[in-house]
Amino acid sequence: MDRRWGFLIGLLSAAWLLLRSGHDEPRPPETPPETAAQRCFCQVSGYLDDCTCDVETIDKFNNYRLFPRLQKLLESDYFRYYKVNLKRPCPFWKDISQCGRRDCAVKPCESDEVPDGIKSASYKYSGEAGNLIEECEQAERLGAVDESLSEETQKAVLQWTKHDDSSDNFCEADDIQSPDAEYVDLLLNPERYTGYKGPDAWRIWNVIYEENCFKPQTIKRPLNPLASSQGKGEENTFYSWLEGLCVEKRAFYRLISGLHASINVHLSARYLLQDTWLEQIWGHNVTEFQQRFDGILTEGEGPRRLKNLYFIYLIELRALSKVVPFFERPDFQLFTGNKVQDAENKMLLLEILHEIKSFPLHFDENSFFAGDKKEANKLKEDFRLHFRNISRIMDCVGCFKCRLWGKLQTQGLGTALKILFSEKLIANMPESGPSYEFQLTRQEIVSLFNAFGRISTSVKELENFRNLLQNVH
Ligand SMILES: *[C@@H]1O[C@H](CO)[C@@H](O)[C@H](O)[C@H]1NC(C)=O
Ligand SMILES: *[C@@H]1O[C@H](CO)[C@@H](O)[C@H](O)[C@H]1NC(C)=O
């Protein structure tokens, strides 16, 4: 262990002592964190709550082994095109002020841009048999019964249809069959600073935290997450409330907070630094980052948010490690119509998944739902309802760019949860042939990997901010 870590750990224990000491105890000699980097990161080190993994191991694993390959995969045609309906009305309130800035806009794909293989079958299910259900549905719409389907296929189709309505889906299925749904090229519409902020943006997050995080009515968080001093006592109540929750409910809150943190890391890392008619320059804005994550400026919230970012990283990583058998089946293909490319991409995908499987410190979800089966089922249902709700709230985001990425990331996280809750089904999947019990749609696959790609990018960006803040005081 080099000296720097020794110093950091010393600092960490000092901070811990400081936090623990009551008001009337004599304080240990104060060593205020010196650099801005330490104010954001000194508590974000070592072991994370509720799991046996440490931040440094994640950083190394992610930044050098996973991130580069994942980026490459996400640039492929299969993963860059996401079909989304951005025109669904907000189910909860009417007065949405649309963000008119050009940076909030989303440019959908021209019709000839998306590979036919993705578009034509509009491939509802992955794998070859996917075509059949599509045809079958069409036949149903036309009132015809397609008798050419074998009995086995008919059975599979029936199961899939049931499956789709089943209680395994954590997200409101976005109606991608709607005429309003369009393909979006994610590479051309990157998640970055849009200028969408203020009351409208707070309202979304606030509703998510207030009404959807298993939170008792009596505890109010400050509306504006950047608000200073207001209600410091309340904040403490809030966290002691959080401590009192069972692991699972606490986990739900932390997932949402981690997602929120990740989005804010991106906005700070791709901030609009210069905006002239000639060009737009995007880059790191250290001030913006500090306002959201500095331990002092956020009264201790910032480092907690960053820890939650690592938490969501571990959860999604765990889900990916669990779903490997699904992608390993020979029938599974990342179908775009380009055979060579598709095969290469599948190889890269499996390489990434095996890397993920080899990660030594996976989150131990056995501590999840360790209670009796009835209790576990109830909790799963609670999780699912809350989560579906959050995906609907995304239709209320007034900035289309933010809505796009919000929807994609909630769907990705929802897919990760679906995987974690389907562990047995995945383990029992046949090695080849149709899988009746467990399926992922192309949409789910694209969102799962892109959502994880976002979190992975955030973890990588933390390293950049750590370096940038090193010399800031
Ligand atoms: C869903 O969200 C709405 C709007 O915030 C809220 O009124 C409702 O109680 C939520 N329902 C659940 C099940 O969380
Ligand atoms: C960085 O963000 C802050 C707000 O946090 C803003 O006031 C400042 O202008 C930004 N800096 C640049 C160079 O855009």
Side-chain angles (χ1 to χ4, degrees):
M1 187 181 296
D2 69 19
R3 252 202 242 144
R4 222 174 84 233
W5 288 122
F7 174 63
L8 266 178
I9 287 170
L11 213 91
L12 187 70
S13 3
W16 191 75
L17 276 175
L18 257 169
L19 279 171
R20 295 243 100 183
S21 63
H23 289 296
D24 33 34
E25 284 171 42
R27 279 166 181 264
E30 277 191 43
T31 39
E34 280 159 313
T35 67
Q38 284 153 0
R39 284 204 305 272
C40 292
F41 292 111
C42 80
Q43 290 175 52
V44 188
S45 163
Y47 283 91
L48 292 159
D49 313 329
D50 292 338
C51 64
T52 55
C53 189
D54 65 289
V55 165
E56 292 73 18
T57 309
I58 303 177
D59 283 347
K60 253 207 254 131
F61 173 75
N62 178 70
N63 299 357
Y64 301 102
R65 292 172 64 180
L66 211 52
F67 175 81
R69 281 187 252 183
L70 194 56
Q71 286 312 301
K72 185 158 174 249
L73 182 72
L74 295 178
E75 283 168 15
S76 71
D77 280 356
Y78 186 88
F79 286 102
R80 70 190 284 187
Y81 297 110
Y82 179 61
K83 196 172 186 188
V84 62
N85 180 0
L86 294 174
K87 295 182 186 146
R88 266 164 51 125
C90 165
F92 299 116
W93 58 82
K94 289 222 152 55
D95 54 323
I96 300 180
S97 49
Q98 293 295 353
C99 163
R101 297 169 51 103
R102 71 174 150 156
D103 299 318
C104 287
V106 169
K107 188 180 162 298
C109 295
E110 303 291 340
S111 57
D112 56 350
E113 230 172 289
V114 183
D116 286 340
I118 293 178
K119 223 169 26 181
S120 61
S122 82
Y123 249 65
K124 192 162 177 197
Y125 290 94
S126 49
E128 201 190 344
N131 281 327
L132 295 175
I133 187 168
E134 208 60 51
E135 284 166 16
C136 177
E137 279 178 353
Q138 196 147 18
E140 221 169 66
R141 271 199 299 278
L142 298 174
V145 179
D146 186 347
E147 283 162 1
S148 65
L149 293 181
S150 74
E151 205 167 301
E152 192 192 18
T153 307
Q154 284 183 25
K155 200 167 130 213
V157 164
L158 202 70
Q159 296 256 11
W160 284 330
T161 320
K162 264 203 214 131
H163 155 91
D164 231 23
D165 306 326
S166 81
S167 55
D168 283 332
N169 286 317
F170 275 74
C171 284
E172 186 87 341
D174 206 16
D175 50 343
I176 56 165
Q177 307 300 335
S178 144
D180 283 338
E182 289 178 292
Y183 278 101
V184 172
D185 183 341
L186 296 172
L187 299 181
L188 294 183
N189 294 278
E191 184 183 29
R192 61 187 175 194
Y193 184 81
T194 59
Y196 177 67
K197 49 161 124 187
D200 286 326
W202 300 332
R203 179 171 172 191
I204 298 283
W205 283 109
N206 215 47
V207 162
I208 291 177
Y209 285 116
E210 283 293 323
E211 290 170 46
N212 297 282
C213 274
F214 297 102
K215 203 159 88 48
Q217 288 300 304
T218 44
I219 299 163
K220 288 259 173 267
R221 297 176 102 237
L223 178 66
N224 173 357
L226 303 179
S228 59
S229 75
Q230 170 207 354
K232 198 166 185 183
E234 279 172 20
E235 280 294 289
N236 287 338
T237 326
F238 178 74
Y239 283 103
S240 56
W241 159 77
L242 201 58
E243 289 303 310
L245 280 185
C246 68
V247 179
E248 299 83 1
K249 291 184 179 174
R250 192 159 65 222
F252 190 92
Y253 165 81
R254 297 183 64 196
L255 287 175
I256 300 298
S257 166
L259 180 62
H260 193 180
S262 173
I263 290 173
N264 283 335
V265 170
H266 293 137
L267 307 190
S268 310
R270 304 189 81 174
Y271 195 93
L272 182 54
L273 297 172
Q274 214 183 85
D275 192 9
T276 65
W277 61 271
L278 210 58
E279 62 177 349
Q280 286 188 310
I281 298 174
W282 306 84
H284 294 86
N285 182 331
V286 169
T287 316
E288 180 78 13
F289 183 85
Q290 283 176 292
Q291 288 198 354
R292 297 175 185 280
F293 299 110
D294 181 292
I296 291 172
L297 295 179
T298 61
E299 303 193 332
E301 270 243 35
R304 283 194 191 103
R305 292 174 187 151
L306 292 180
K307 278 186 167 183
N308 291 337
L309 170 65
Y310 283 98
F311 182 73
I312 191 177
Y313 182 89
L314 286 176
I315 292 282
E316 294 193 357
L317 194 72
R318 186 55 167 168
L320 288 169
S321 79
K322 290 274 172 193
V323 79
V324 177
F326 174 82
F327 292 108
E328 269 177 337
R329 289 172 320 136
D331 325 20
F332 176 79
Q333 40 177 332
L334 293 168
F335 188 84
T336 64
N338 180 336
K339 266 208 169 108
V340 178
Q341 196 101 91
D342 291 354
E344 274 176 20
N345 282 336
K346 181 167 175 183
M347 245 159 63
L348 179 58
L349 177 87
L350 291 180
E351 203 185 304
I352 289 171
L353 287 174
H354 287 139
E355 184 80 54
I356 288 176
K357 225 174 153 181
S358 76
F359 181 69
L361 296 169
H362 268 295
F363 181 79
D364 174 17
E365 75 280 6
N366 285 332
S367 58
F368 256 43
F369 312 110
D372 65 70
K373 192 149 185 292
K374 205 172 136 214
E375 204 178 316
N377 278 339
K378 161 103 179 46
L379 212 51
K380 176 185 169 187
E381 186 58 14
D382 271 5
F383 250 63
R384 200 176 63 81
L385 289 180
H386 277 72
F387 209 82
R388 285 198 120 160
N389 215 18
I390 291 178
S391 64
R392 290 166 75 203
I393 292 174
M394 290 300 151
D395 286 321
C396 305
V397 176
C399 145
F400 283 117
K401 181 76 81 52
C402 319
R403 190 182 289 190
L404 164 68
W405 285 98
K407 272 168 168 277
L408 179 124
Q409 291 180 84
T410 36
Q411 190 181 20
L413 178 56
T415 306
L417 292 176
K418 167 175 157 177
I419 292 167
L420 288 178
F421 284 114
S422 309
E423 195 180 342
K424 282 213 189 76
L425 300 182
I426 298 172
N428 294 334
M429 217 161 41
E431 268 172 38
S432 62
S435 141
Y436 297 127
E437 303 280 348
F438 182 82
Q439 273 295 334
L440 291 177
T441 64
R442 180 181 175 274
Q443 287 291 107
E444 285 175 317
I445 296 168
V446 171
S447 64
L448 175 67
F449 282 89
N450 271 291
F452 181 66
R454 301 282 54 204
I455 309 285
S456 166
T457 307
S458 289
V459 168
K460 173 89 170 98
E461 283 297 349
L462 289 189
E463 186 179 48
N464 296 335
F465 276 114
R466 211 178 261 128
N467 293 335
L468 286 168
L469 283 165
Q470 215 51 258
N471 305 315
V472 178
H473 283 262

